[in-house]
Amino acid sequence: SGFHRGVLTQYNPVFMLKSAIDALNNCISPEDNIDVYDLVNADVVYLLYKLRSMSDDCLNLEIKGKQYTVKISDLEVKYLDEYNTEITLPESKIPVRLKLQTIGDIFGLSNARDEFMRKYPEYRGDALNTISILNSIDTFGTSVSSEHIRNGLEQLSWKDSLYLIQAIEDLNKLDFGIKEQVELDVEGEKVTIPLQITEQFFRPTI
């Protein structure tokens, strides 16, 4: 199992993700004041490919017993244009500012769920889904407190709740980042090959 766009794949996914984040953080100058945990998933994946390309720009793929070479620098990258994060709930007229979840949010879901259930033992809903929604809200009205936001969400009508959930889903569908697939001519046929970041990604055998 794994997270979107290949940051997590097989073997020990949590260990792989943390190792990748630690490797990236070690390669970033302290002067830049950037923590990879604060980046969105697509940015982390992009940096992983850029880091790999600095040591070896070629990915070697074996397909039907034949070797193919793909250059990382040739992979398509789609940059994110400006997007609207400000919405107003249709019934309550509450202004909400949304945000993309960071890789730190995703990595911390399990611990956040446990903490959430300790804090609200009476809660009978889907804790992970609730936390994902909370992680996607920057401000709710004038509040930035997760507890205040949670209380506010509980007071919403169905109409406002569905509108908010749809807005978050639309935000998460934004298409950007490095395209983790290549089109190759395999035995005279055009074949689309997906790429994945596995534990072999930074080893010379790949």
Side-chain angles (χ1 to χ4, degrees), residues 11-190:
Y11 308 106
N12 188 329
V14 175
F15 176 78
M16 286 180 60
L17 174 59
K18 189 176 186 310
S19 297
I21 291 175
D22 291 343
L24 287 175
N25 271 329
N26 288 334
C27 294
I28 296 175
S29 170
E31 296 177 357
D32 292 328
N33 196 29
I34 295 173
D35 188 339
V36 177
Y37 284 100
D38 295 331
L39 301 179
V40 299
N41 188 75
D43 286 346
V44 175
V45 173
Y46 173 79
L47 288 175
L48 285 173
Y49 276 94
K50 294 297 289 184
L51 181 61
R52 163 61 196 268
S53 69
M54 291 174 65
S55 59
D56 186 353
D57 192 42
C58 294
L59 293 175
N60 298 315
L61 309 175
E62 183 176 336
I63 305 168
K64 294 184 177 181
K66 293 184 178 180
Q67 294 292 326
Y68 295 82
T69 299
V70 174
K71 286 191 174 183
I72 295 175
S73 56
D74 290 339
L75 296 179
E76 179 184 347
V77 178
K78 189 172 184 180
Y79 293 92
L80 182 61
D81 296 325
E82 291 186 8
Y83 57 95
N84 183 33
T85 60
E86 307 276 348
I87 64 171
T88 301
L89 301 181
E91 195 164 295
S92 63
K93 307 304 180 185
I94 296 174
V96 180
R97 185 167 67 230
L98 304 177
K99 64 185 180 72
L100 291 166
Q101 291 192 67
T102 66
I103 203 69
D105 291 333
I106 297 173
F107 186 70
L109 275 177
S110 179
N111 289 337
R113 176 190 57 195
D114 294 342
E115 182 180 345
F116 184 91
M117 294 310 298
R118 282 195 297 270
K119 194 171 185 179
Y120 307 105
E122 75 286 355
Y123 189 74
R124 294 295 178 265
D126 185 339
L128 282 178
N129 185 58
T130 300
I131 293 167
S132 293
I133 291 174
L134 289 172
N135 286 342
S136 300
I137 298 175
D138 192 21
T139 61
F140 185 88
T142 58
S143 179
V144 296
S145 162
S146 60
E147 186 166 352
H148 290 165
I149 292 173
R150 175 182 175 273
N151 291 335
L153 293 177
E154 289 183 344
Q155 305 302 317
L156 292 181
S157 65
W158 275 105
K159 183 177 181 179
D160 280 352
S161 295
L162 292 174
Y163 185 88
L164 176 61
I165 291 171
Q166 185 60 57
I168 292 173
E169 288 180 353
D170 290 343
L171 184 64
N172 290 331
K173 289 177 183 176
L174 290 173
D175 183 22
F176 65 101
I178 195 164
K179 192 171 184 180
E180 288 188 281
Q181 63 181 45
V182 292
E183 189 176 86
L184 298 174
D185 189 336
V186 179
E187 298 179 351
E189 180 181 354
K190 291 290 184 182

